[in-house]
Amino acid sequence: MASVLHIPDHVPADRVVDFDIFALPGVENDYFAAWEALRGGADTGRPALVWTTANHGHWIATSGELIRSLWADSARLSNKVLAVTPGLGEVMDFIPLQQDGREHHATRNAIMKGFGARHIIALDPLITAVARDLTAALRPRGSCEFMQDFAEILPLHIFLTLIDVPVEDRAKLRPLGAQLTRPDGSMTVEQLRDAADAYLAPYVEARLANPGTDLFSRILAEPVGDRPWTLDEARRMCRNLLFGGLDTVVAMVGMVALHLARNPHDQALLRAQPELIPAAADELMRRYPTVSVSRNAVEDIAVDGVTIRTDDIVYLPSVLHNLDPASFSDPLTVDFARGLTPIRHTTLGAGAHRCVGAGLARLEVIAFLREWLANMPEVRLDPARPVTMRGGNVGACTSLPLVWDV
Ligand code: HEM
């Protein structure tokens, strides 16, 4: 992908790298280490902002402090672009993710009401039951491919229940999530949007005309400012939630299972002290951040000795914030005590667009930890089969083979 064509005049030569976010060197072995190679900031002697020639050229913030401050700067950095993949933003046109300012505020308010804490907490028995059933089915087998056998099932089952559609549709929806965050070229962005819309269309229209008690109905029953949702807005919002709920929790639950399998003492600790599980969930979400976001500058921004020009794209990887020693002491160490007070990580974003599904995601990670640890013996990595990972806007394990004694 590297090309001199993608180095604009305002980018100094010493800021130029060739770093393809979809193909980080070594990512198949370790997503986190692959990103670490790019770390910058004062303590490293390397710039906190670099320009990659890959993917048509864009900035990447590489220090924790800069990532966090740019993430919160919604006045100068817009969400319109969505991603560095050309055309994806224009085609998806997500609500609320790609909206700015007042427009965003109005739709986000309605969405936040739909995700109200009481609705999410009410899901706990279902999440627990699904996590327990999945664990019970796996236990006698002595081994599993965790991504396929667990991580890809739990979050989709919960999300599909939340929007009141058949849970059997999981199999056809799952590949769409992965295509959005880690496109492999097999679908155009239009095909991807159209596939999501074709699936959602009958539900969106029905929920607008005749609201039920599901998540989409609850949101669509709330006004956008002082008026109802239009059909076009409803489609874009449901599309956003479908994609938001498809891939992110899958990736996160996978990383948490990977940590447990690599650290039997943490399995033992949480079994002995289950009251630590909520704090452990927060700390594990900090330690294994997999989401990166893209912004487009709406004005020139002077930062780190260079200028981000209007319309430049800036990529913000939460991994280089959460694992920066200047932002978190001893960041690679998982310390459950860290989760006893709020952790200012960016796994779920920061500022105006912070994840609306954060409460649900956290509940799912907690339920997974609780049920897995209570019902499984000590689980280890399978020494015969490697763990593999992929990068992209949501990094994830692609294979996580686990074994245990039966
Ligand atoms: C562990 C799981 C999850 C992670 C790591 C995650 C991560 C994120 C991040 C980093 C953002 C901020 C995006 C930005 O700043 O541009 C975000 C926003 C969002 N997330 Fe999540 N998410 C998760 C789960 C979910 C779930 C389960 C849903 C829906 C059911 C969801 C729906 C959304 C939506 C709609 C937004 C846009 C919010 C806005 O623009 O105001 N997410 N998420």
Side-chain angles (χ1 to χ4, degrees):
M1 273 276 178
S3 160
V4 287
L5 291 175
H6 302 316
I7 308 175
D9 292 345
H10 65 284
V11 176
D14 62 357
R15 299 295 175 122
V16 176
V17 297
D18 177 17
F19 196 81
D20 184 345
I21 55 152
F22 297 110
L24 316 180
V27 73
E28 55 288 351
N29 299 322
D30 189 337
Y31 167 85
F32 304 96
W35 268 107
E36 280 296 312
L38 197 65
R39 167 171 312 293
D43 51 331
T44 64
R46 291 202 300 260
L49 191 66
V50 294
W51 175 275
T52 179
T53 51
N55 295 301
H56 306 276
H58 60 88
W59 295 104
I60 305 178
T62 62
S63 86
E65 194 189 341
L66 186 61
I67 290 166
R68 203 170 200 297
S69 74
L70 293 179
W71 212 312
D73 193 350
S74 46
R76 295 187 297 174
L77 289 165
S78 159
N79 264 43
K80 278 274 172 286
V81 69
L82 180 63
V84 304
T85 308
L88 190 65
E90 285 94 327
V91 171
M92 289 302 168
D93 213 2
F94 285 140
I95 289 178
L97 186 58
Q98 288 178 255
Q99 293 179 308
D100 296 320
R102 229 179 272 162
E103 199 185 35
H104 171 246
H105 189 70
T107 58
R108 183 174 162 105
N109 258 351
I111 295 166
M112 290 302 278
K113 288 192 180 136
F115 273 98
R118 75 191 163 91
H119 298 297
I120 300 305
I121 291 165
L123 284 170
D124 198 31
L126 174 72
I127 303 174
T128 301
V130 177
R132 189 172 294 169
D133 289 352
L134 287 170
T135 308
L138 288 180
R139 187 181 169 142
R141 287 172 38 184
S143 68
C144 75
E145 170 42 69
F146 185 82
M147 297 311 291
Q148 191 183 303
D149 294 337
F150 195 114
E152 293 182 5
I153 302 176
L154 175 73
L156 278 123
H157 189 114
I158 301 307
F159 182 73
L160 296 180
T161 308
L162 193 58
I163 63 170
D164 193 20
V165 305
V167 291
E168 299 73 45
D169 292 349
R170 183 172 58 76
K172 63 178 160 194
L173 292 175
R174 168 68 192 134
L176 301 185
Q179 282 297 331
L180 182 79
T181 51
R182 296 181 297 280
D184 66 4
S186 65
M187 283 178 104
T188 66
V189 291
E190 286 84 1
Q191 284 170 334
L192 184 58
R193 177 205 51 200
D194 293 348
D197 282 5
Y199 175 77
L200 289 170
Y203 300 112
V204 178
E205 279 155 37
R207 307 301 191 243
L208 266 177
N210 194 6
T213 55
D214 60 280
L215 176 68
F216 287 168
S217 293
R218 290 198 302 267
I219 296 171
L220 295 171
E222 292 292 333
V224 177
D226 55 4
R227 58 167 180 83
W229 290 81
T230 65
L231 179 59
D232 175 61
E233 287 168 339
R235 283 200 185 109
R236 291 159 57 199
M237 182 276 291
C238 294
R239 188 190 293 156
N240 192 167
L241 291 194
L242 177 73
F243 280 118
L246 281 182
D247 207 39
T248 46
V249 193
V250 174
M252 178 55 64
V253 172
M255 292 303 175
V256 172
L258 173 66
H259 176 85
L260 292 178
R262 280 182 176 156
N263 297 279
H265 54 278
D266 279 348
Q267 296 182 44
L269 174 62
L270 294 177
R271 264 191 207 104
Q273 296 183 56
E275 68 280 7
L276 282 179
I277 285 178
D282 290 332
E283 167 64 346
L284 289 166
M285 288 173 84
R286 176 203 66 82
R287 172 60 183 81
Y288 296 98
T290 57
V291 177
S292 304
V293 300
S294 306
R295 298 285 194 260
N296 57 294
V298 292
E299 60 183 79
D300 288 2
I301 304 171
V303 67
D304 195 44
V306 293
T307 301
I308 299 171
R309 281 274 163 83
T310 306
D311 294 335
D312 282 356
I313 298 177
V314 188
Y315 199 68
L316 305 175
S318 56
V319 50
L320 290 183
H321 170 243
N322 289 8
L323 302 186
D324 186 341
S327 301
F328 296 93
S329 64
D330 198 7
L332 295 179
T333 298
V334 168
D335 173 4
F336 296 149
R338 226 194 282 255
L340 293 171
T341 51
I343 314 177
R344 277 168 50 90
H345 62 66
T346 43
T347 300
L348 296 153
H353 289 271
R354 188 173 183 275
C355 182
V356 297
L360 173 60
R362 181 170 185 268
L363 210 58
E364 292 186 52
V365 172
I366 290 173
F368 161 64
L369 283 166
R370 213 175 42 220
E371 296 308 316
W372 186 254
L373 292 166
N375 298 301
M376 293 291 268
E378 185 181 288
V379 173
R380 307 175 297 278
L381 293 179
D382 183 343
R385 290 180 295 155
V387 174
T388 56
M389 299 191 189
R390 278 191 62 172
N393 299 317
V394 180
C397 290
T398 43
S399 177
L400 178 50
L402 301 179
V403 292
W404 55 90
D405 299 333
V406 285

Coordinates of all heavy atoms in Angstrom, one line a residue, residues 71 79 82 95-99 104 107-108 111-112 115 155 159 162 215 237 240-253 285 288-295 316 318 346-358 360-362 364-365 394, ligand 1:
W71 N -9.1 12.3 21.3 CA -10.4 11.6 21.4 C -11.5 12.5 21.9 O -12.6 12.4 21.5 CB -10.2 10.3 22.3 CG -11.1 9.2 21.9 CD1 -12.4 9.2 21.6 CD2 -10.7 7.8 21.7 NE1 -12.9 8.0 21.2 CE2 -11.8 7.1 21.3 CE3 -9.5 7.1 21.8 CZ2 -11.8 5.7 21.1 CZ3 -9.5 5.8 21.6 CH2 -10.6 5.1 21.2
N79 N -16.5 13.0 13.6 CA -16.7 11.6 13.5 C -17.2 11.2 12.1 O -17.4 10.0 11.9 CB -17.7 11.1 14.5 CG -17.0 10.6 15.8 OD1 -16.1 11.2 16.2 ND2 -17.5 9.5 16.3
L82 N -15.7 8.1 9.8 CA -15.9 6.7 10.4 C -14.6 5.8 10.4 O -14.3 5.2 11.3 CB -17.0 6.0 9.6 CG -17.3 4.5 10.1 CD1 -17.8 4.5 11.5 CD2 -18.3 3.8 9.2
I95 N -25.8 6.6 12.7 CA -26.4 7.4 13.8 C -26.3 6.6 15.0 O -26.8 5.5 15.0 CB -27.8 7.8 13.5 CG1 -27.9 8.9 12.3 CG2 -28.5 8.4 14.7 CD1 -29.4 9.3 12.0
P96 N -25.6 7.1 16.1 CA -25.1 8.4 16.3 C -23.6 8.5 16.0 O -23.1 9.6 16.1 CB -25.3 8.6 17.8 CG -25.0 7.2 18.4 CD -25.6 6.2 17.3
L97 N -22.9 7.4 15.6 CA -21.5 7.4 15.6 C -20.9 8.4 14.7 O -19.8 9.0 15.0 CB -21.0 6.0 15.2 CG -19.5 5.7 15.3 CD1 -18.9 6.0 16.6 CD2 -19.2 4.3 14.9
Q98 N -21.5 8.7 13.6 CA -20.9 9.6 12.6 C -21.5 11.0 12.7 O -21.3 11.8 11.8 CB -21.1 9.1 11.2 CG -20.2 7.9 10.9 CD -20.4 7.3 9.6 OE1 -21.0 6.3 9.4 NE2 -19.9 8.1 8.6
Q99 N -22.3 11.3 13.7 CA -22.8 12.7 13.8 C -21.9 13.5 14.8 O -21.2 13.0 15.6 CB -24.2 12.6 14.4 CG -25.2 11.9 13.5 CD -26.6 11.9 14.1 OE1 -26.8 11.4 15.2 NE2 -27.6 12.3 13.4
H104 N -25.8 15.1 16.9 CA -25.4 13.9 17.6 C -26.1 13.9 19.0 O -26.6 12.9 19.4 CB -23.9 13.9 17.8 CG -23.4 12.9 18.7 ND1 -22.7 13.1 19.9 CD2 -23.4 11.5 18.6 CE1 -22.4 12.0 20.5 NE2 -22.8 11.0 19.7
T107 N -29.8 12.7 18.9 CA -30.1 11.2 18.7 C -29.5 10.4 19.8 O -30.1 9.4 20.3 CB -29.5 10.7 17.3 OG1 -28.1 11.0 17.3 CG2 -30.2 11.4 16.2
R108 N -28.3 10.8 20.3 CA -27.7 10.1 21.4 C -28.5 10.0 22.6 O -28.6 9.0 23.3 CB -26.3 10.6 21.6 CG -25.6 9.8 22.7 CD -24.1 10.3 22.9 NE -23.6 9.8 24.1 CZ -22.8 8.8 24.2 NH1 -22.3 8.1 23.2 NH2 -22.4 8.4 25.4
I111 N -31.1 7.4 22.3 CA -30.5 6.1 22.3 C -30.1 5.7 23.8 O -30.3 4.6 24.2 CB -29.2 6.0 21.4 CG1 -29.7 6.2 19.9 CG2 -28.5 4.7 21.6 CD1 -28.6 6.5 18.9
M112 N -29.5 6.7 24.5 CA -29.1 6.5 25.9 C -30.4 6.1 26.7 O -30.3 5.3 27.6 CB -28.4 7.7 26.5 CG -27.1 8.0 25.9 SD -25.9 6.6 26.1 CE -25.4 6.9 27.8
F115 N -31.1 2.5 26.2 CA -30.1 1.7 26.9 C -30.2 1.9 28.4 O -29.2 1.6 29.1 CB -28.7 2.0 26.4 CG -28.3 1.2 25.2 CD1 -28.4 1.8 23.9 CD2 -27.8 -0.1 25.3 CE1 -27.9 1.1 22.8 CE2 -27.4 -0.8 24.2 CZ -27.4 -0.2 23.0
P155 N -22.4 -12.7 22.9 CA -22.9 -11.3 22.7 C -24.0 -11.2 21.6 O -24.9 -10.4 21.7 CB -21.6 -10.6 22.2 CG -20.5 -11.5 22.5 CD -21.0 -12.9 22.6
F159 N -27.6 -9.6 22.1 CA -28.0 -8.4 21.3 C -29.3 -8.8 20.5 O -30.2 -7.9 20.4 CB -26.9 -8.0 20.3 CG -27.3 -6.8 19.5 CD1 -27.4 -5.5 20.1 CD2 -27.6 -6.9 18.2 CE1 -27.8 -4.4 19.4 CE2 -28.0 -5.7 17.5 CZ -28.1 -4.5 18.1
L162 N -32.2 -8.6 22.7 CA -32.4 -7.2 23.0 C -33.2 -6.5 22.0 O -34.1 -5.7 22.3 CB -31.1 -6.5 23.2 CG -30.9 -5.2 23.8 CD1 -31.5 -5.2 25.3 CD2 -29.4 -4.7 23.9
L215 N -35.3 -2.9 22.3 CA -34.4 -1.8 22.3 C -34.7 -0.8 21.2 O -34.8 0.4 21.4 CB -32.9 -2.3 22.2 CG -31.9 -1.2 22.1 CD1 -31.7 -0.4 23.4 CD2 -30.5 -1.8 21.7
M237 N -29.7 4.4 12.5 CA -29.4 4.2 13.9 C -29.4 2.6 14.1 O -28.5 2.1 14.8 CB -30.5 4.9 14.7 CG -30.4 4.7 16.2 SD -31.1 3.2 16.8 CE -32.9 3.5 16.6
N240 N -26.3 1.2 12.9 CA -25.2 1.4 13.8 C -25.2 0.5 15.0 O -24.2 -0.1 15.3 CB -25.3 2.9 14.3 CG -24.0 3.4 15.0 OD1 -23.9 4.6 15.2 ND2 -23.1 2.5 15.3
L241 N -26.4 0.3 15.6 CA -26.4 -0.6 16.8 C -26.1 -2.0 16.4 O -25.4 -2.7 17.1 CB -27.8 -0.5 17.4 CG -28.1 0.9 18.1 CD1 -29.3 0.7 19.0 CD2 -26.9 1.4 18.9
L242 N -26.6 -2.4 15.2 CA -26.3 -3.8 14.8 C -24.8 -4.0 14.7 O -24.3 -5.0 15.3 CB -27.0 -4.1 13.5 CG -26.8 -5.5 12.9 CD1 -27.6 -6.5 13.7 CD2 -27.2 -5.5 11.4
F243 N -24.1 -3.1 14.0 CA -22.7 -3.3 13.8 C -22.0 -3.1 15.2 O -21.0 -3.8 15.5 CB -22.2 -2.3 12.8 CG -22.4 -2.8 11.4 CD1 -23.2 -2.1 10.5 CD2 -21.9 -4.0 10.9 CE1 -23.4 -2.6 9.2 CE2 -22.1 -4.5 9.6 CZ -22.9 -3.8 8.8
G244 N -22.5 -2.1 16.0 CA -21.8 -1.9 17.3 C -21.8 -3.1 18.2 O -20.9 -3.4 18.9
G245 N -22.9 -3.8 18.1 CA -23.1 -5.0 19.0 C -22.5 -6.3 18.4 O -22.5 -7.3 19.1
L246 N -22.1 -6.3 17.2 CA -21.7 -7.6 16.5 C -20.3 -8.0 16.9 O -20.1 -9.2 17.2 CB -21.8 -7.5 15.0 CG -23.2 -7.6 14.4 CD1 -23.2 -7.5 12.9 CD2 -23.9 -8.9 14.9
D247 N -19.3 -7.1 16.8 CA -17.9 -7.6 16.8 C -17.1 -7.2 18.1 O -16.2 -7.9 18.5 CB -17.2 -6.9 15.6 CG -16.1 -7.8 15.1 OD1 -16.2 -9.0 15.1 OD2 -15.0 -7.2 14.8
T248 N -17.6 -6.2 18.7 CA -16.8 -5.6 19.8 C -16.7 -6.5 21.1 O -15.7 -6.8 21.6 CB -17.3 -4.2 20.2 OG1 -18.7 -4.3 20.3 CG2 -17.0 -3.2 19.2
V249 N -17.9 -7.0 21.5 CA -17.9 -7.8 22.7 C -17.3 -9.2 22.4 O -16.7 -9.8 23.2 CB -19.4 -8.0 23.2 CG1 -19.3 -8.6 24.6 CG2 -20.1 -6.7 23.3
V250 N -17.5 -9.7 21.1 CA -16.9 -10.9 20.7 C -15.4 -10.8 21.0 O -14.7 -11.7 21.6 CB -17.1 -11.2 19.2 CG1 -16.4 -12.5 18.8 CG2 -18.6 -11.4 19.0
A251 N -14.8 -9.7 20.5 CA -13.3 -9.5 20.6 C -12.9 -9.5 22.1 O -11.9 -10.1 22.5 CB -12.9 -8.3 19.9
M252 N -13.7 -8.7 22.9 CA -13.4 -8.5 24.3 C -13.4 -9.8 25.1 O -12.5 -10.1 25.9 CB -14.3 -7.4 24.9 CG -14.1 -7.1 26.3 SD -12.4 -6.7 26.7 CE -12.2 -5.2 25.8
V253 N -14.5 -10.5 24.9 CA -14.7 -11.8 25.7 C -13.5 -12.7 25.3 O -12.9 -13.4 26.2 CB -16.0 -12.4 25.5 CG1 -16.1 -13.8 26.1 CG2 -17.1 -11.5 26.0
M285 N -10.7 -5.1 30.8 CA -11.1 -4.3 29.6 C -10.0 -3.2 29.4 O -9.8 -2.8 28.2 CB -12.5 -3.7 29.9 CG -13.5 -4.8 29.7 SD -15.2 -4.3 30.2 CE -15.8 -3.6 28.7
Y288 N -6.8 -5.0 27.7 CA -7.0 -5.6 26.4 C -7.9 -4.8 25.5 O -8.9 -5.2 25.0 CB -7.5 -7.0 26.5 CG -6.5 -7.9 27.3 CD1 -6.7 -8.2 28.6 CD2 -5.4 -8.5 26.6 CE1 -5.8 -9.0 29.3 CE2 -4.5 -9.3 27.3 CZ -4.7 -9.5 28.6 OH -3.8 -10.3 29.3
P289 N -7.4 -3.5 25.2 CA -8.2 -2.7 24.3 C -8.0 -3.0 22.9 O -6.9 -3.2 22.4 CB -7.6 -1.3 24.6 CG -6.2 -1.6 25.0 CD -6.1 -3.0 25.5
T290 N -9.1 -3.2 22.2 CA -9.0 -3.6 20.8 C -9.6 -2.7 19.8 O -9.5 -3.0 18.6 CB -9.7 -5.0 20.6 OG1 -11.0 -4.9 21.0 CG2 -9.0 -6.1 21.4
V291 N -10.3 -1.6 20.2 CA -10.9 -0.7 19.3 C -10.1 0.5 19.0 O -9.5 1.1 19.9 CB -12.3 -0.3 19.8 CG1 -13.0 0.7 18.9 CG2 -13.2 -1.5 20.1
S292 N -10.0 0.9 17.7 CA -9.4 2.1 17.3 C -10.4 2.9 16.5 O -11.3 2.3 15.8 CB -8.2 1.8 16.4 OG -7.3 1.0 17.0
V293 N -10.4 4.2 16.6 CA -11.3 5.1 15.9 C -10.6 6.0 14.9 O -9.4 6.3 15.1 CB -12.2 5.8 16.9 CG1 -13.0 4.8 17.8 CG2 -11.5 6.8 17.7
S294 N -11.4 6.5 14.0 CA -10.9 7.5 13.0 C -11.6 8.8 13.1 O -12.8 8.8 13.4 CB -11.1 7.0 11.6 OG -10.5 5.7 11.5
R295 N -10.9 9.9 12.9 CA -11.5 11.2 13.0 C -11.0 12.0 11.8 O -9.9 11.8 11.3 CB -11.1 12.0 14.2 CG -11.5 11.3 15.6 CD -13.0 11.5 15.8 NE -13.3 11.2 17.2 CZ -13.9 10.1 17.6 NH1 -14.1 9.1 16.7 NH2 -14.3 9.9 18.8
L316 N -6.9 6.9 16.1 CA -6.7 6.8 17.5 C -6.8 5.4 18.0 O -7.9 4.9 18.2 CB -7.7 7.8 18.2 CG -7.8 9.2 17.7 CD1 -8.9 10.0 18.4 CD2 -6.4 9.9 17.9
S318 N -6.9 2.8 20.9 CA -7.0 2.8 22.4 C -5.8 2.0 23.0 O -5.4 2.2 24.1 CB -8.3 2.2 22.8 OG -8.6 1.0 22.3
T346 N -9.5 4.0 27.5 CA -10.3 4.4 26.3 C -10.8 3.2 25.5 O -11.2 3.3 24.4 CB -9.4 5.3 25.3 OG1 -8.1 4.7 25.3 CG2 -9.4 6.7 25.8
T347 N -10.8 2.0 26.2 CA -11.4 0.8 25.5 C -12.8 1.1 25.0 O -13.1 0.6 23.9 CB -11.4 -0.3 26.6 OG1 -10.1 -0.5 27.0 CG2 -12.0 -1.6 26.0
L348 N -13.6 1.9 25.7 CA -14.9 2.2 25.3 C -15.1 3.6 24.8 O -16.2 4.2 24.8 CB -15.9 1.9 26.5 CG -15.9 0.4 27.0 CD1 -16.3 0.3 28.4 CD2 -16.9 -0.4 26.1
G349 N -13.9 4.2 24.5 CA -13.9 5.6 24.0 C -13.8 6.6 25.1 O -13.6 6.2 26.3
A350 N -14.0 7.9 24.8 CA -13.9 9.0 25.7 C -14.7 10.1 25.1 O -14.7 10.3 23.9 CB -12.5 9.3 26.0
G351 N -15.3 11.0 26.0 CA -15.9 12.2 25.4 C -17.3 11.9 24.9 O -18.0 10.9 25.3
A352 N -17.7 12.7 23.9 CA -19.1 12.8 23.5 C -19.6 11.4 22.9 O -20.8 11.1 23.0 CB -19.2 13.9 22.4
H353 N -18.7 10.6 22.3 CA -19.1 9.4 21.6 C -18.9 8.2 22.5 O -19.0 7.0 21.9 CB -18.4 9.3 20.3 CG -18.9 10.3 19.3 ND1 -20.0 10.0 18.5 CD2 -18.5 11.5 19.0 CE1 -20.2 11.1 17.7 NE2 -19.3 12.0 18.0
R354 N -18.6 8.3 23.8 CA -18.2 7.1 24.6 C -19.3 6.1 24.4 O -20.5 6.4 24.3 CB -18.1 7.5 26.0 CG -17.6 6.3 26.9 CD -17.3 6.7 28.3 NE -16.7 5.6 29.0 CZ -17.5 4.6 29.6 NH1 -18.8 4.7 29.6 NH2 -16.9 3.6 30.2
C355 N -18.9 4.8 24.3 CA -19.8 3.7 23.9 C -21.2 3.7 24.6 O -21.2 3.7 25.9 CB -19.1 2.4 24.2 SG -20.1 1.0 23.7
V356 N -22.2 3.7 23.9 CA -23.6 3.6 24.5 C -23.9 2.2 25.0 O -24.8 2.0 25.8 CB -24.7 4.1 23.5 CG1 -24.5 5.5 23.1 CG2 -24.8 3.2 22.3
G357 N -23.1 1.2 24.5 CA -23.3 -0.2 25.0 C -22.4 -0.5 26.1 O -22.3 -1.7 26.4
A358 N -21.7 0.5 26.7 CA -20.7 0.2 27.7 C -21.2 -0.7 28.9 O -20.6 -1.7 29.3 CB -20.1 1.5 28.2
L360 N -23.8 -2.7 28.9 CA -24.1 -4.0 28.5 C -22.9 -4.8 28.3 O -22.8 -6.0 28.7 CB -24.9 -3.9 27.1 CG -25.2 -5.2 26.4 CD1 -26.0 -6.1 27.3 CD2 -25.9 -5.0 25.1
A361 N -21.9 -4.2 27.7 CA -20.6 -4.9 27.4 C -20.0 -5.4 28.8 O -19.5 -6.5 28.9 CB -19.6 -4.0 26.7
R362 N -20.0 -4.5 29.8 CA -19.4 -4.8 31.1 C -20.2 -5.9 31.7 O -19.6 -6.9 32.3 CB -19.5 -3.5 31.9 CG -18.9 -3.7 33.3 CD -18.7 -2.3 34.0 NE -18.0 -2.5 35.3 CZ -18.6 -2.7 36.4 NH1 -20.0 -2.8 36.5 NH2 -17.9 -2.9 37.5
E364 N -21.8 -8.3 30.3 CA -21.5 -9.5 29.6 C -20.1 -10.1 30.0 O -19.9 -11.3 30.2 CB -21.5 -9.4 28.1 CG -22.9 -9.1 27.6 CD -23.1 -9.0 26.1 OE1 -22.6 -10.0 25.5 OE2 -23.6 -8.1 25.6
V365 N -19.1 -9.2 30.2 CA -17.8 -9.7 30.6 C -17.9 -10.2 32.0 O -17.3 -11.3 32.4 CB -16.8 -8.5 30.5 CG1 -15.4 -8.9 31.1 CG2 -16.6 -8.1 29.0
V394 N -11.3 -3.2 14.9 CA -11.4 -4.0 16.1 C -10.5 -5.2 16.0 O -10.7 -6.1 15.1 CB -12.9 -4.5 16.3 CG1 -13.0 -5.3 17.6 CG2 -13.9 -3.3 16.4
Ligands
HEM1 C1 -16.5 -4.5 24.8 C2 -17.4 -4.2 23.9 C3 -17.4 -2.8 23.3 C4 -16.3 -2.0 23.0 C5 -14.9 -2.2 23.3 C6 -16.9 -0.8 22.4 C7 -16.1 0.3 22.0 C8 -16.6 1.5 21.6 C9 -15.9 2.7 21.4 C10 -14.4 2.8 21.5 C11 -16.7 3.7 21.0 C12 -16.4 5.1 20.7 C13 -16.4 5.4 19.2 C14 -15.8 6.8 18.9 O1 -15.3 7.5 19.7 O2 -15.8 7.1 17.7 C15 -18.0 3.1 20.9 C16 -19.2 3.8 20.6 C17 -20.4 3.1 20.3 N1 -20.7 1.8 20.7 FE1 -19.5 0.5 21.6 N2 -18.2 -0.9 22.2 C18 -18.6 -2.1 22.8 C19 -19.9 -2.6 22.9 C20 -21.0 -2.1 22.3 C21 -22.3 -2.7 22.2 C22 -22.7 -4.0 22.8 C23 -23.1 -1.8 21.5 C24 -24.5 -1.9 21.1 C25 -25.3 -2.8 21.4 C26 -22.3 -0.7 21.1 C27 -22.7 0.4 20.4 C28 -22.0 1.6 20.2 C29 -22.5 2.8 19.6 C30 -23.9 2.9 19.0 C31 -21.5 3.7 19.7 C32 -21.6 5.2 19.1 C33 -21.9 6.1 20.3 C34 -21.9 7.6 19.8 O3 -21.4 7.9 18.7 O4 -22.4 8.4 20.6 N3 -21.0 -0.9 21.6 N4 -18.0 1.8 21.3

